[in-house]
Amino acid sequence: MPTILGQNQYGKAENRVVKITRDGDTHHIKDLNVSVALSGDLDDVHYSGSNAHVLPTDTTKNTVFAYAKEHGIESAEAFGLLLARHFVDDTEPIHQARIRIEEYEWERIETSDANSRFIGADEVKHSFVRKGQETRTAQITYDGEGVEVLSGLKDLTVLNSTNSEFWGYIKDRYTTLKEDYDRILATSVSAVWRHNYTGGEQERTPNWEKSYAQTKKHMLHAFAETYSLSLQQTLYQMGSRVINSRPEIDEIRFSMPNKHHFRVDLSPFDMKNEAADGAVYYAADRPYGLIEATVLRDGATPRIPVDMTNL
Amino acid sequence: MPTILGQNQYGKAENRVVKITRDGDTHHIKDLNVSVALSGDLDDVHYSGSNAHVLPTDTTKNTVFAYAKEHGIESAEAFGLLLARHFVDDTEPIHQARIRIEEYEWERIETSDANSRFIGADEVKHSFVRKGQETRTAQITYDGEGVEVLSGLKDLTVLNSTNSEFWGYIKDRYTTLKEDYDRILATSVSAVWRHNYTGGEQERTPNWEKSYAQTKKHMLHAFAETYSLSLQQTLYQMGSRVINSRPEIDEIRFSMPNKHHFRVDLSPFDMKNEAADGAVYYAADRPYGLIEATVLRDGATPRIPVDMTNL
Amino acid sequence: MPTILGQNQYGKAENRVVKITRDGDTHHIKDLNVSVALSGDLDDVHYSGSNAHVLPTDTTKNTVFAYAKEHGIESAEAFGLLLARHFVDDTEPIHQARIRIEEYEWERIETSDANSRFIGADEVKHSFVRKGQETRTAQITYDGEGVEVLSGLKDLTVLNSTNSEFWGYIKDRYTTLKEDYDRILATSVSAVWRHNYTGGEQERTPNWEKSYAQTKKHMLHAFAETYSLSLQQTLYQMGSRVINSRPEIDEIRFSMPNKHHFRVDLSPFDMKNEAADGAVYYAADRPYGLIEATVLRDGATPRIPVDMTNL
Amino acid sequence: MPTILGQNQYGKAENRVVKITRDGDTHHIKDLNVSVALSGDLDDVHYSGSNAHVLPTDTTKNTVFAYAKEHGIESAEAFGLLLARHFVDDTEPIHQARIRIEEYEWERIETSDANSRFIGADEVKHSFVRKGQETRTAQITYDGEGVEVLSGLKDLTVLNSTNSEFWGYIKDRYTTLKEDYDRILATSVSAVWRHNYTGGEQERTPNWEKSYAQTKKHMLHAFAETYSLSLQQTLYQMGSRVINSRPEIDEIRFSMPNKHHFRVDLSPFDMKNEAADGAVYYAADRPYGLIEATVLRDGATPRIPVDMTNL
């Protein structure tokens, strides 16, 4: 047979698991989209169709829901670690598990003032509205020895309406862009960061929830506070701020589309449209500049793939 | 000619206009997606291709941007009224204009505490993060006489983790559903409401921003506070709360998919999964119940179309 | 109570039903997305939450699948008629049913030549590849008396690379567009047409499959053959061609975005880019002209709503 | 500085370029979405914001359009090779270019029979309808020495209505799936294959168009002709068929979601629903099995990344 099998993996993708926890009348919610990918001793199923080493994807789905009940969902990362270890440790032919998770955040519907007026009842503690800002992501990989935990987010859209310039670039035959000393800088941040935690028994486990909240905050602050000469510079400041502020993180990669906001040329109508006066912009869809880079703690080995994906 | 032309309209859709207003170092942002649809004396362009009565869609686009600069954008509704009146009053063959607007909300990136630590600078007042919750909508129609203003929102996803039942329904040959006395009730609210404002000179113009904020709040509160025996009941309570609380609104229509959260059957694994103990749910995509209804102030004439669309 | 209930409807949306028919080794496939909306004596469920008149949406889902088995799926329209009549005739409180259907077309994977080389077997008659062009739609409404059948399609993207002009339009203060005597005309056709069939016992039922195929063909031909001075003119020719060619159709409505293809200005690079020489175009996303109109058989009453939606 | 820059790249993504070629009255169309990513001596722009080594993304966009005019678009792969070589060879700080392309196929609107009836004119040769089946992809990478060409496709949805089984798998505590001896097998194929062409002067350049058409055909035939015991087996057969049939290809990777079609349980309605009789299926969305694997020519080195992305 002149062809051979290379890297392969399989599992159930996009298991939409919602766990409610009740603390008296106060409810809590965790809302995840969990994707399982398993690798191991799986040549036969490809070559001959023998499923003797195959844990059905349907079973991996059942396991996600059963584990959510048995163990609860403390955080996406902690839940992913439990699942990854189970699949590898408890299924002989499976040698590696990769769990990818998207998390959707909810906030409480605050009703205290309304109650007094409408129903005189206690405040409602079981009502939520989806926050709808970024999607939080996590990827947990376990190979029977160590673990790798990547946390991340996507679709966090940010905009600075000033303190951004772009000039001094290469001009070749095909260059028509005019230099700009006061432009809007906007992007939709996708980021993945790698924790240096490897799952050892002596290791202290990060506080995943706090780590995420702080990392997001540092990115937002660095974005806001950087006087930007290029989106690359802003990206590096964001990554550097995270690495410098969060000792548990060694590496971060960004994929940041330049969401162009072009100042509209109103001169045909004898109108000025200067940034300094508060301008009108056209928010463009395509094409868009796409800036991608990794920022590392000095000495760390890069492990996050160049192309970031989820699911 | 055995065929004739019926209702017709045209214009530029999805003009993505962003207006920055500068108040010293404090910037404000309005982010709209504006769609123009014009009707009038337009038989010829359909029958013969004569464009003599056609204001190009490209011109309607230019007008959106120029008006944003000339008049600013106080609110989606106010901006739409300006545009609608312009197209009808200033273009002879155009007899009706319908402006549809989506609005995307931004919130400030708060940096005060970060500044002190990192750069010792003043708080940043020009940095924003997209809120990402619901999309706000507006539709303004002007026919040379009166105006009709519909405001709305879409993709506002809400969930009650208890206080929802469903039982006592018709059972026919094809019914298998089990009655449920403690289920999750979740929906993604799309709503359109009609202001009784008709644009008369003596009329008081609503405060569009405040009206929107209050209407959203009333919907959320009614959703949270209703002990629900059906999604229809919840819908009606939401509509009724809005009409009773906002005298400027005479009619509201909802389209509310029942975002099913099915309690997972864990009995094959000898596990219980009772709602009262904090259950695990499977969030389903399709199919979904879809509940749509109009709630009216008694005596008001329904004018919102059965099928709600935007753009 | 100062608020009242207006138009309302409910049902299960997006039931994805696939029916395989086996004719020996030759299989046939029908792939539909069926949405049910029921209206009737439903005040109580809104006012008090009583479900006594409510056939659960879950039951409507079951009915779709059971009917597909019991009756097969001859066409989307025929299947929708069966369902609509069942819900109204067999459920006392239900007075009107509206069935909306999307249909996805598959074509056979032709394997005859391959077989001879690889497996010497008979031609495979159970393998399909999704065609992926337009989505076919249907809407069937039944109120206990007559039926209304709308057929349609969406996302049929067409392009003429010449024989399109645009000039002679109104120029106002905000007009900057240059006249064009050889432009690309492209659009993504959404269309809904109304059959004059009303379901009477004496009436001849249209051949829904043939009617659809012919209507699509006429639209494509009229698009291709019209020398266009405006997209409105092309739209009218398409509608007129359908009405004139298909006696079973009395009304058709189009929603046609002008998918702009802008000839790129290459003059900064000392390059010409004339249409006559085979030009390079930039395919733009937003904004886009949006042209919507109804074409009617003379004497017919317009019944298709201005805003077309599906589901 | 305790942080350092890792892998980075930038460029303009999603340049939607359409090229018309006129051969008398017969027009041809190429419709591409081109994304440029450049790497090189770019530390400064990240560390200090100096753009001295930055060719603006706007310039890369202009180049795409200008090259389409200057050189035409013979195929996605050939066009990508031209662009990649230009960016690296003609821009000193740029050391690597990666061009990613999506291609959308159009087919002619055939009008011959219609013409005779309606306008007696010649057949129209400039009218197209978008085929709408799979999206073709290509990725061309050039580092100043050799090239790597990946071709591919995505969203090619295929279905076998029989000749698929699934049984004999591992059963653990969480397994509930029943074995199936006659199921529907459906998937949406995403595939990327690597040509062994490296751009050497003595090398023969593949016929990219023919290579693509044949590769797609081989995948479809292998899918149709494989009696499948698992989706993994089908995948391997598809890959093996391609490698064995196309000497220019050394490696292929698939990402194939198992688009589940569940046979509906109609027993509550006293109805049978056996596959052998032509069954009714529910086409599910999420979750879905996801099968991914690489198939290699024996001796070839795997180079296609585990996670496939486009853009």
Side-chain angles (χ1 to χ4, degrees):
Chain A
M1 185 169 42
T3 61
I4 56 167
L5 180 68
Q7 198 279 350
N8 60 86
Q9 59 193 18
Y10 81 101
K12 195 69 101 190
E14 303 210 38
N15 299 284
R16 291 282 293 104
V17 58
V18 174
K19 175 72 176 73
I20 302 293
T21 308
R22 295 188 176 200
D23 179 11
D25 286 345
T26 302
H27 292 201
H28 303 275
I29 184 170
K30 274 285 183 183
D31 185 359
L32 305 185
N33 190 18
V34 179
S35 295
V36 175
L38 308 178
S39 303
D41 184 3
L42 292 161
D43 284 10
D44 281 357
V45 66
H46 293 86
Y47 289 139
S48 72
S50 161
N51 292 301
H53 287 185
V54 174
L55 187 70
T57 65
D58 187 76
T59 301
T60 68
K61 175 199 71 180
N62 289 346
T63 308
V64 169
F65 289 105
Y67 263 58
K69 180 63 188 170
E70 275 185 311
H71 304 281
I73 301 176
E74 196 187 295
S75 68
E77 287 84 356
F79 188 59
L81 282 165
L82 279 173
L83 287 169
R85 285 190 162 116
H86 161 69
F87 288 121
V88 174
D89 293 344
D90 299 349
T91 317
E92 203 282 325
I94 302 304
H95 302 158
Q96 181 172 302
R98 188 200 70 198
I99 311 295
R100 284 182 169 171
I101 301 178
E102 290 187 345
E103 178 169 355
Y104 315 109
E105 197 178 352
W106 297 79
E107 56 191 15
R108 288 185 190 281
I109 299 175
E110 303 292 349
T111 57
S112 47
D113 58 335
N115 276 314
S116 55
R117 224 166 85 223
F118 281 103
I119 55 173
D122 294 338
E123 188 174 350
V124 176
K125 302 277 198 176
H126 59 260
S127 284
F128 304 91
V129 57
R130 194 160 154 171
K131 197 163 185 303
Q133 199 162 68
E134 86 277 10
T135 297
R136 181 173 165 181
T137 64
Q139 175 180 301
I140 296 89
T141 311
Y142 173 62
D143 62 2
E145 311 253 318
V147 303
E148 181 190 80
V149 180
L150 305 181
S151 299
L153 57 78
K154 59 182 181 179
D155 300 331
L156 182 69
T157 305
V158 291
L159 180 149
N160 284 333
S161 52
T162 190
N163 286 14
S164 166
E165 309 186 6
F166 188 59
W167 49 268
Y169 41 76
I170 296 173
K171 279 106 187 164
D172 76 1
R173 181 189 167 195
Y174 299 108
T175 301
T176 55
L177 186 72
K178 296 218 169 62
E179 301 193 328
D180 196 339
Y181 295 85
D182 192 355
R183 66 171 185 171
I184 281 184
L185 186 73
T187 185
S188 175
V189 181
S190 290
V192 171
W193 51 92
R194 182 169 56 79
H195 298 270
N196 41 42
Y197 176 75
T198 60
E201 287 188 16
Q202 312 297 329
E203 265 183 281
R204 186 172 149 190
T205 308
N207 179 332
W208 305 111
E209 302 295 75
K210 183 179 171 191
S211 177
Y212 177 83
Q214 290 292 311
T215 301
K216 178 183 168 184
K217 193 190 77 175
H218 287 304
M219 287 193 293
L220 287 177
H221 286 179
F223 177 82
E225 292 165 6
T226 300
Y227 191 105
S228 176
L229 301 173
S230 72
L231 184 49
Q232 283 94 328
Q233 184 191 21
T234 294
L235 179 158
Y236 187 77
Q237 288 299 314
M238 294 168 70
S240 185
R241 178 84 62 101
V242 169
I243 300 289
N244 285 327
S245 308
R246 303 302 311 169
E248 75 275 20
I249 299 173
D250 272 4
E251 180 185 9
I252 184 166
R253 185 165 178 83
F254 295 92
S255 178
M256 299 191 356
N258 195 336
K259 292 181 78 75
H260 303 298
H261 286 68
F262 297 116
R263 198 147 43 84
V264 180
D265 177 12
L266 300 177
S267 63
F269 323 127
D270 291 322
M271 294 167 63
K272 287 188 177 171
N273 190 30
E274 299 300 319
D277 303 328
V280 171
Y281 299 84
Y282 161 58
D285 295 311
R286 292 196 295 186
Y288 50 90
L290 182 57
I291 312 299
E292 299 175 293
T294 296
V295 181
L296 293 152
R297 187 176 302 284
D298 201 1
T301 305
R303 296 182 51 116
I304 302 174
V306 166
D307 285 317
M308 302 191 310
T309 53
N310 199 256
L311 308 182
Chain B
M1 186 170 42
T3 62
I4 56 166
L5 180 68
Q7 197 279 351
N8 61 88
Q9 58 194 19
Y10 81 101
K12 196 68 105 193
E14 302 209 39
N15 299 284
R16 291 282 292 105
V17 59
V18 174
K19 174 73 175 72
I20 303 294
T21 308
R22 296 189 175 198
D23 178 11
D25 286 344
T26 302
H27 292 200
H28 304 275
I29 183 169
K30 275 285 182 184
D31 185 359
L32 305 185
N33 190 18
V34 179
S35 295
V36 175
L38 307 179
S39 302
D41 184 4
L42 292 161
D43 284 9
D44 281 356
V45 65
H46 293 86
Y47 288 138
S48 71
S50 161
N51 293 299
H53 287 185
V54 174
L55 187 69
T57 66
D58 187 78
T59 301
T60 68
K61 175 199 70 177
N62 289 346
T63 308
V64 169
F65 289 105
Y67 263 58
K69 180 64 187 171
E70 273 185 312
H71 304 282
I73 301 176
E74 197 187 295
S75 68
E77 287 84 355
F79 187 58
L81 282 166
L82 278 173
L83 287 169
R85 287 192 161 114
H86 161 69
F87 287 122
V88 174
D89 293 343
D90 299 350
T91 318
E92 203 282 326
I94 302 305
H95 302 158
Q96 182 173 302
R98 188 200 70 197
I99 311 295
R100 284 182 170 172
I101 301 178
E102 289 186 346
E103 178 168 357
Y104 315 109
E105 197 179 350
W106 297 78
E107 55 191 14
R108 288 185 190 281
I109 299 175
E110 302 294 346
T111 58
S112 46
D113 60 335
N115 275 314
S116 54
R117 222 164 90 222
F118 282 101
I119 55 173
D122 295 337
E123 188 175 349
V124 175
K125 304 277 200 176
H126 60 260
S127 283
F128 305 90
V129 57
R130 193 159 153 172
K131 196 161 185 306
Q133 200 162 70
E134 86 277 11
T135 297
R136 181 174 166 181
T137 64
Q139 173 179 304
I140 296 88
T141 311
Y142 173 62
D143 62 3
E145 311 255 316
V147 303
E148 181 191 78
V149 180
L150 306 181
S151 299
L153 57 78
K154 58 182 182 180
D155 300 332
L156 181 69
T157 305
V158 291
L159 180 150
N160 284 334
S161 52
T162 189
N163 286 12
S164 165
E165 309 184 6
F166 188 58
W167 49 267
Y169 39 76
I170 296 175
K171 279 105 186 165
D172 75 1
R173 181 187 168 197
Y174 300 108
T175 301
T176 56
L177 186 71
K178 295 218 169 62
E179 302 194 328
D180 197 340
Y181 295 85
D182 192 355
R183 64 171 187 171
I184 281 183
L185 186 72
T187 184
S188 175
V189 182
S190 290
V192 171
W193 50 92
R194 181 169 55 80
H195 299 269
N196 43 42
Y197 177 74
T198 59
E201 287 189 14
Q202 312 297 331
E203 267 182 279
R204 186 171 150 191
T205 308
N207 179 334
W208 306 110
E209 302 295 74
K210 183 180 171 193
S211 177
Y212 178 82
Q214 290 293 312
T215 301
K216 177 183 169 185
K217 194 190 75 175
H218 287 303
M219 288 193 292
L220 287 177
H221 286 178
F223 176 80
E225 292 164 6
T226 300
Y227 190 105
S228 177
L229 300 174
S230 72
L231 185 49
Q232 283 93 330
Q233 185 192 20
T234 295
L235 180 156
Y236 187 77
Q237 288 299 315
M238 293 168 71
S240 185
R241 179 85 62 101
V242 168
I243 301 289
N244 285 328
S245 307
R246 303 303 310 170
E248 76 275 20
I249 299 174
D250 272 4
E251 181 186 8
I252 183 166
R253 185 166 177 83
F254 294 92
S255 179
M256 298 193 355
N258 195 337
K259 292 179 79 75
H260 303 298
H261 286 67
F262 297 115
R263 198 149 43 84
V264 180
D265 177 12
L266 300 178
S267 63
F269 323 127
D270 292 322
M271 295 168 62
K272 287 190 176 169
N273 190 30
E274 299 300 319
D277 302 327
V280 172
Y281 299 84
Y282 161 57
D285 294 311
R286 291 195 294 188
Y288 50 88
L290 183 57
I291 312 298
E292 300 175 293
T294 296
V295 181
L296 292 152
R297 187 176 302 285
D298 201 2
T301 305
R303 297 182 52 116
I304 302 174
V306 166
D307 286 316
M308 302 191 309
T309 55
N310 200 254
L311 308 181
Chain C
M1 185 170 43
T3 61
I4 55 167
L5 180 68
Q7 197 280 349
N8 60 87
Q9 59 194 19
Y10 82 102
K12 195 70 104 193
E14 302 209 40
N15 299 284
R16 292 281 293 104
V17 58
V18 174
K19 175 72 176 71
I20 302 293
T21 307
R22 296 188 175 199
D23 178 11
D25 287 345
T26 303
H27 293 200
H28 304 274
I29 184 170
K30 274 286 182 182
D31 185 359
L32 305 185
N33 190 17
V34 179
S35 295
V36 175
L38 308 178
S39 303
D41 184 3
L42 293 160
D43 284 9
D44 281 356
V45 65
H46 293 86
Y47 289 138
S48 71
S50 161
N51 292 301
H53 287 186
V54 174
L55 187 70
T57 66
D58 188 77
T59 301
T60 67
K61 175 198 72 178
N62 289 346
T63 308
V64 169
F65 289 105
Y67 263 58
K69 181 62 187 171
E70 275 185 310
H71 304 281
I73 301 177
E74 196 186 295
S75 67
E77 287 84 356
F79 187 59
L81 282 165
L82 279 174
L83 287 169
R85 285 191 163 115
H86 161 69
F87 288 122
V88 174
D89 293 343
D90 299 349
T91 317
E92 203 282 326
I94 302 304
H95 302 158
Q96 181 172 302
R98 188 200 69 197
I99 311 296
R100 284 180 171 173
I101 301 178
E102 290 187 345
E103 179 169 356
Y104 315 110
E105 197 178 352
W106 297 79
E107 56 191 14
R108 288 184 190 281
I109 299 176
E110 303 292 346
T111 58
S112 47
D113 58 336
N115 276 314
S116 55
R117 224 165 87 225
F118 282 101
I119 55 172
D122 294 336
E123 188 175 349
V124 175
K125 302 277 199 177
H126 59 260
S127 284
F128 304 90
V129 57
R130 193 160 155 173
K131 197 162 184 302
Q133 199 162 70
E134 86 278 8
T135 297
R136 181 174 166 181
T137 63
Q139 174 180 301
I140 296 88
T141 311
Y142 172 62
D143 62 2
E145 312 253 317
V147 304
E148 181 191 79
V149 180
L150 305 181
S151 299
L153 57 78
K154 58 182 182 179
D155 300 330
L156 182 69
T157 304
V158 291
L159 180 150
N160 284 334
S161 52
T162 189
N163 286 12
S164 167
E165 309 185 5
F166 189 58
W167 49 267
Y169 40 76
I170 295 174
K171 278 105 186 164
D172 76 1
R173 182 189 166 195
Y174 300 108
T175 302
T176 56
L177 186 72
K178 295 217 169 63
E179 301 193 329
D180 197 340
Y181 295 86
D182 192 355
R183 65 170 186 171
I184 280 182
L185 186 73
T187 184
S188 175
V189 181
S190 290
V192 171
W193 51 93
R194 182 169 56 79
H195 298 270
N196 41 42
Y197 176 75
T198 60
E201 287 188 15
Q202 313 298 330
E203 266 182 280
R204 185 172 151 190
T205 308
N207 179 332
W208 305 111
E209 303 295 76
K210 183 179 170 192
S211 177
Y212 178 83
Q214 290 293 310
T215 301
K216 177 183 170 185
K217 194 190 77 175
H218 287 303
M219 287 193 291
L220 287 177
H221 286 178
F223 176 81
E225 292 165 6
T226 300
Y227 191 105
S228 176
L229 301 173
S230 72
L231 184 49
Q232 283 93 329
Q233 184 191 20
T234 295
L235 179 158
Y236 187 77
Q237 287 299 315
M238 293 168 71
S240 185
R241 178 84 63 102
V242 168
I243 300 289
N244 285 327
S245 307
R246 304 301 312 169
E248 75 275 20
I249 299 173
D250 272 4
E251 181 184 9
I252 183 166
R253 185 164 177 85
F254 294 93
S255 178
M256 297 190 0
N258 196 338
K259 292 180 79 73
H260 303 298
H261 286 68
F262 296 117
R263 199 147 43 84
V264 180
D265 177 12
L266 300 177
S267 64
F269 323 126
D270 292 323
M271 294 167 62
K272 287 189 176 169
N273 190 29
E274 298 299 320
D277 302 327
V280 171
Y281 299 84
Y282 161 58
D285 294 310
R286 290 196 297 187
Y288 50 89
L290 182 58
I291 312 298
E292 299 174 293
T294 295
V295 181
L296 293 153
R297 187 176 302 285
D298 201 3
T301 304
R303 297 182 51 114
I304 302 174
V306 166
D307 285 316
M308 302 190 311
T309 53
N310 200 254
L311 307 182
Chain D
M1 184 171 42
T3 61
I4 56 167
L5 180 68
Q7 197 279 350
N8 61 85
Q9 59 194 19
Y10 81 100
K12 196 69 105 193
E14 302 210 39
N15 299 284
R16 292 283 292 103
V17 58
V18 174
K19 175 72 175 73
I20 303 294
T21 308
R22 296 189 175 198
D23 178 12
D25 286 345
T26 302
H27 293 201
H28 304 275
I29 183 169
K30 275 285 183 183
D31 185 359
L32 305 185
N33 190 19
V34 179
S35 294
V36 175
L38 308 178
S39 302
D41 184 3
L42 291 161
D43 284 9
D44 280 357
V45 65
H46 293 86
Y47 289 138
S48 71
S50 161
N51 292 301
H53 287 185
V54 173
L55 187 70
T57 66
D58 187 78
T59 301
T60 68
K61 175 199 71 178
N62 288 346
T63 308
V64 169
F65 289 104
Y67 263 58
K69 180 64 187 171
E70 274 185 312
H71 303 282
I73 300 176
E74 196 187 295
S75 68
E77 287 84 356
F79 187 58
L81 282 165
L82 278 173
L83 287 168
R85 286 191 161 113
H86 160 70
F87 287 122
V88 174
D89 293 344
D90 299 349
T91 317
E92 203 281 326
I94 302 304
H95 303 157
Q96 181 172 303
R98 187 200 70 197
I99 311 295
R100 284 181 169 172
I101 301 178
E102 289 186 346
E103 178 169 357
Y104 315 109
E105 196 178 352
W106 296 79
E107 56 191 14
R108 287 184 191 283
I109 299 175
E110 303 292 347
T111 58
S112 48
D113 59 335
N115 275 313
S116 55
R117 225 166 84 222
F118 282 102
I119 54 173
D122 294 336
E123 189 176 347
V124 176
K125 304 277 199 175
H126 59 259
S127 284
F128 304 90
V129 56
R130 193 159 154 173
K131 197 163 184 305
Q133 201 162 69
E134 85 277 10
T135 296
R136 182 174 166 180
T137 63
Q139 174 180 302
I140 296 89
T141 311
Y142 173 62
D143 62 2
E145 310 255 317
V147 303
E148 181 191 79
V149 180
L150 306 181
S151 299
L153 57 77
K154 59 182 182 181
D155 299 331
L156 182 69
T157 305
V158 290
L159 180 150
N160 284 335
S161 52
T162 190
N163 285 13
S164 166
E165 308 184 6
F166 188 59
W167 49 269
Y169 39 76
I170 295 174
K171 279 105 186 164
D172 75 1
R173 181 188 167 195
Y174 300 109
T175 302
T176 56
L177 187 71
K178 296 217 170 63
E179 302 195 327
D180 198 339
Y181 295 84
D182 191 355
R183 65 171 187 172
I184 281 183
L185 186 73
T187 184
S188 175
V189 182
S190 289
V192 171
W193 52 91
R194 182 168 56 79
H195 298 270
N196 43 42
Y197 177 75
T198 59
E201 287 189 15
Q202 312 297 330
E203 266 181 280
R204 186 172 150 190
T205 307
N207 178 333
W208 305 110
E209 302 295 76
K210 184 180 171 191
S211 177
Y212 177 83
Q214 290 292 312
T215 301
K216 177 183 169 185
K217 194 190 75 175
H218 287 304
M219 288 192 293
L220 287 177
H221 286 179
F223 176 81
E225 292 164 7
T226 301
Y227 190 105
S228 177
L229 300 173
S230 73
L231 185 49
Q232 282 93 330
Q233 185 192 21
T234 295
L235 180 157
Y236 187 76
Q237 287 299 314
M238 293 168 71
S240 185
R241 179 84 62 100
V242 168
I243 301 289
N244 285 328
S245 307
R246 304 302 311 171
E248 74 275 19
I249 299 174
D250 272 4
E251 181 186 9
I252 183 166
R253 185 166 177 83
F254 294 92
S255 178
M256 297 189 0
N258 195 338
K259 292 179 78 74
H260 303 298
H261 286 68
F262 297 116
R263 198 149 41 85
V264 180
D265 177 12
L266 300 178
S267 64
F269 323 128
D270 292 321
M271 295 168 62
K272 287 189 176 170
N273 191 28
E274 299 300 318
D277 302 328
V280 171
Y281 299 84
Y282 160 57
D285 294 312
R286 291 195 294 187
Y288 49 89
L290 183 57
I291 312 298
E292 300 175 294
T294 296
V295 181
L296 293 153
R297 187 176 301 285
D298 200 3
T301 304
R303 297 183 50 116
I304 301 175
V306 166
D307 285 316
M308 302 192 308
T309 53
N310 199 254
L311 308 182

